[in-house]
Amino acid sequence: MEKRRADVSLPLVLDASVVLSWLLPDEQHPRAVALRERARASVVLAPAVWWFEVRNALLIGERRRRITAAQTDEF
């Protein structure tokens, strides 16, 4: 008898680097774009430090003039 696995939808755990690639135009990657589409239809989790990592990277992006303060606020 063949054992069948139940269709289990695992949550998507987002890394800050993937999320930042969605915002930073020069960081676009096909896998990150695919994950963005998956995130729209999935349960999404993030590590406890996620907000701090993303916020720090956005502030550094502003200092290096890769993004504007308005883009940081919008994101």
Side-chain angles (χ1 to χ4, degrees), residues 36-50:
R36 181 175 52 214
E37 296 306 314
R38 181 177 164 203
R40 290 181 177 156
S42 298
V43 172
V44 179
L45 302 174
V49 297
W50 180 88

Side-chain angles (χ1 to χ4, degrees), residues 24-27 57 60-68 71:
L24 302 171
D26 58 339
E27 297 285 336
I60 290 170
E62 283 181 40
R63 275 188 239 135
R64 293 181 180 170
R65 301 189 195 286
R66 295 177 70 193
I67 58 173
T68 66
Q71 287 173 302

Side-chain angles (χ1 to χ4, degrees), residues 7-9 12 16 19 29 32-33 47-48 53-54 59 61 69 74-75:
D7 287 335
V8 177
S9 179
L12 179 63
V19 174
H29 190 278
V33 172
E53 292 174 336
V54 170
L59 292 174
E74 183 180 333
F75 188 69

